[in-house]
Amino acid sequence: MQFEHVTCPHCGILCDDLTIEVKDSQITPLNVDHPKCTRGFSQASIDSANPPSATVDGENVTVEEAINKAVEILQSSSQPLVSGLIADVEACREAVALTEKLGGVIDHANGKYIRANIAVMQRMGKVKTTLAEVRNRADHVIIFGAEVLERFPRLLQRVLSPQKSLGPDATINKSITIIDSQAQPDASKSFAQANINYLRLDAASLESIILSLQAIIQSPDQSADKENDISARLKEVYQKILDSQYTTIVWNTGLLDTDTAEQTVQAITLSIKTLMKEIRCVGLPLGGSKGEITASQVSTWQTGVPLPVAFMSGTPVHDPVLYDGSTMLENNEADTLVWLSTYNADDTPPVTDIPTIVLGHPNMQAAKQSAVFIPVGVPGIDHRGLACRTDSVATLPLQKIRSNDLPVASDVLNKINEML
């Protein structure tokens, strides 16, 4: 059986034009061929003759027995951490409700990677845009890091080099500048389009390039005798921005050094604000390939604050340092881990010495040795759902394209909540 206009939840762009074939519980995308686009679907294929089972301490049990054991563990927990959150809107809603009931802490598995953008927006605001706006209005795009196009493989096809646009021809044939400090294998082949300029600079890091460009934007009249090859080429980039009608600067925080990501994002933001005094220039931070945007949006809707959130005081408290999930596990500050991960079998929980309750992808092998493992359906395959796009302005529907007996993660979380 074939399904049309299927939304892919395995990348923050949430392309909704896929054609999927389902045959004997095997899932095959037909109109995309990039491994990142196809792997999430093919990985969800299951052996209908040998369906996945819930486990307790590695032993097969019924789902009801696994839920009872999860409730028993949580009832004796004093500071649980709910993490992962690689899931759809409804599962994230139930995860927030469960954390509030437990008086625990909730954070996304990739929390550190989304913190920088949120912190800069809270402190100084941002000038950011949407995928549709870039597709239809931008005539010049700067991408920091060639790996962005690997992490978001259909960005070129769907947004940056569209076949159709609501704007003039310049928005279809955008001038695209890819800036990187690392040499990319087969770059000349990968970026062979006439409108793509691959600019590999001999710099220490991508962060140093961003800071150098900021210095040029804020002080364009710096003396020529201080120029080197990097600054000279970045001045050409700066001039290209001034010559364009609508420039979009694209980055992915996951490619930046975690320790300095906030300062780097701030440098981009200040550059954009300076440029906006003369021309149209906006930012497009990309993320959400593991549900980060969905989890962050749900947290804000439900609690009024972004992740991480603690409920120990009875009200939601946001502190990105004190309640960072990975740091809490490293410092033994949580006594139980609830891990929610439904899209990919590889997104397993971190190895810890505390009881771990996993609501996971049906093919998540490593999690079966956890205190509790409950295989759940994959959103967009086994049940309907919603996911938030990388630009935070659209929530897209996920279809149900396969029938089986796998429980829905949100239902399991709700049942655990009711039994506590």
Side-chain angles (χ1 to χ4, degrees):
M1 183 178 295
Q2 288 188 15
F3 295 84
E4 306 287 340
H5 308 295
V6 175
T7 300
C8 171
H10 305 294
C11 163
I13 296 177
L14 294 182
C15 299
D16 58 355
D17 63 341
L18 274 64
T19 299
I20 305 293
E21 181 180 67
V22 181
K23 185 177 181 181
D24 297 329
S25 291
Q26 307 299 301
I27 315 294
T28 307
L30 300 180
N31 60 336
V32 293
D33 57 6
H34 193 282
K36 184 172 180 62
C37 302
T38 60
R39 189 167 185 270
F41 286 98
S42 60
Q43 196 183 58
S45 298
I46 59 176
D47 182 1
S48 55
N50 186 28
S53 172
T55 63
V56 171
D57 296 326
E59 299 295 327
N60 289 351
V61 297
T62 66
V63 172
E64 289 72 21
E65 289 172 324
I67 290 176
N68 289 336
K69 182 62 176 180
V71 171
E72 177 186 326
I73 293 171
L74 291 172
Q75 284 175 333
S76 62
S77 174
S78 59
Q79 186 154 297
L81 170 66
V82 178
S83 189
L85 304 185
I86 308 170
D88 63 323
V89 166
E90 194 57 35
C92 289
R93 284 182 184 272
E94 294 294 342
V96 171
L98 176 63
T99 309
E100 183 177 14
K101 182 73 168 286
L102 294 168
V105 175
I106 186 168
D107 192 18
H108 191 276
N110 280 354
K112 287 185 177 180
Y113 297 123
I114 61 177
R115 257 23 124 229
N117 289 321
I118 293 174
V120 173
M121 182 172 64
Q122 288 174 325
R123 188 170 61 252
M124 58 190 302
K126 277 187 181 179
V127 184
K128 49 185 286 196
T129 188
T130 67
L131 297 179
E133 186 78 0
V134 177
R135 176 187 173 108
N136 295 310
R137 300 297 177 217
D139 61 344
H140 180 217
V141 176
I142 296 173
I143 302 175
F144 285 123
E147 195 177 333
V148 166
L149 298 181
E150 179 66 24
R151 295 191 176 198
F152 302 89
R154 299 188 70 202
L155 181 66
L156 275 175
Q157 176 189 357
R158 297 272 290 171
V159 180
L160 303 186
S161 296
Q163 294 183 348
K164 297 180 180 180
S165 169
L166 298 178
D169 289 343
T171 63
I172 296 177
N173 301 306
K174 307 180 197 302
S175 175
I176 301 171
T177 303
I178 301 172
I179 305 177
D180 211 333
S181 62
Q182 304 293 326
Q184 297 295 321
D186 301 322
S188 59
K189 179 181 178 181
S190 301
F191 309 132
Q193 291 178 219
N195 62 327
I196 296 181
N197 175 31
Y198 173 59
L199 190 60
R200 193 265 168 177
L201 301 178
D202 188 18
S205 64
L206 189 59
E207 288 84 353
S208 66
I209 293 175
I210 292 170
L211 292 173
S212 296
L213 181 58
Q214 180 200 9
I216 291 171
I217 290 171
Q218 294 190 324
S219 302
D221 297 326
Q222 59 185 329
S223 59
D225 60 352
K226 293 183 180 179
E227 278 193 10
N228 54 33
D229 180 64
I230 293 176
S231 61
R233 299 180 76 180
L234 288 177
K235 276 192 172 182
E236 294 176 2
V237 173
Y238 171 60
Q239 187 59 50
K240 177 66 177 177
I241 295 173
L242 296 180
D243 293 339
S244 302
Q245 296 295 314
Y246 190 134
T247 295
T248 300
I249 298 178
V250 179
W251 71 94
N252 173 232
T253 312
L255 295 178
L256 304 176
D257 185 315
T258 305
D259 293 335
T260 59
E262 186 175 329
Q263 290 85 348
T264 306
V265 173
Q266 177 173 299
I268 297 173
T269 302
L270 289 172
S271 297
I272 290 172
K273 289 190 172 187
T274 300
L275 289 165
M276 280 288 285
K277 296 175 183 178
E278 300 183 55
I279 47 89
R280 180 68 170 165
C281 181
V282 293
L284 182 66
L286 296 178
S289 294
K290 291 187 182 296
E292 300 96 321
I293 305 302
T294 297
S296 184
Q297 291 287 89
V298 169
S299 174
T300 306
W301 298 339
Q302 299 295 98
T303 70
V305 292
L307 295 169
V309 184
F311 291 93
M312 279 87 82
S313 65
T315 58
V317 177
H318 168 68
D319 189 319
V321 176
L322 189 60
Y323 301 124
D324 177 80
S326 59
T327 302
M328 288 184 65
L329 292 176
E330 291 171 6
N331 295 339
N332 298 314
E333 294 171 345
D335 60 3
T336 306
L337 172 63
V338 179
W339 185 263
L340 173 63
S341 177
T342 61
Y343 289 131
N344 293 288
D346 300 331
D347 293 322
T348 55
V351 178
T352 70
D353 294 327
I354 60 177
T356 301
I357 300 165
V358 180
L359 278 67
H361 189 283
N363 291 325
M364 188 181 288
Q365 299 299 318
K368 292 184 178 180
Q369 301 305 315
S370 302
V372 175
F373 170 66
I374 302 175
V376 295
V378 181
I381 293 179
D382 297 314
H383 62 85
R384 295 166 62 90
L386 296 168
C388 300
R389 204 171 63 185
T390 185
D391 53 8
S392 304
V393 299
T395 302
L396 278 76
L398 305 174
Q399 294 187 37
K400 176 179 179 177
I401 60 177
R402 179 176 69 185
S403 295
N404 54 41
D405 295 328
L406 289 168
V408 179
S410 57
D411 292 343
V412 174
L413 288 167
N414 180 263
K415 189 168 185 178
I416 291 174
N417 197 355
E418 289 180 344
M419 293 175 65
L420 287 169

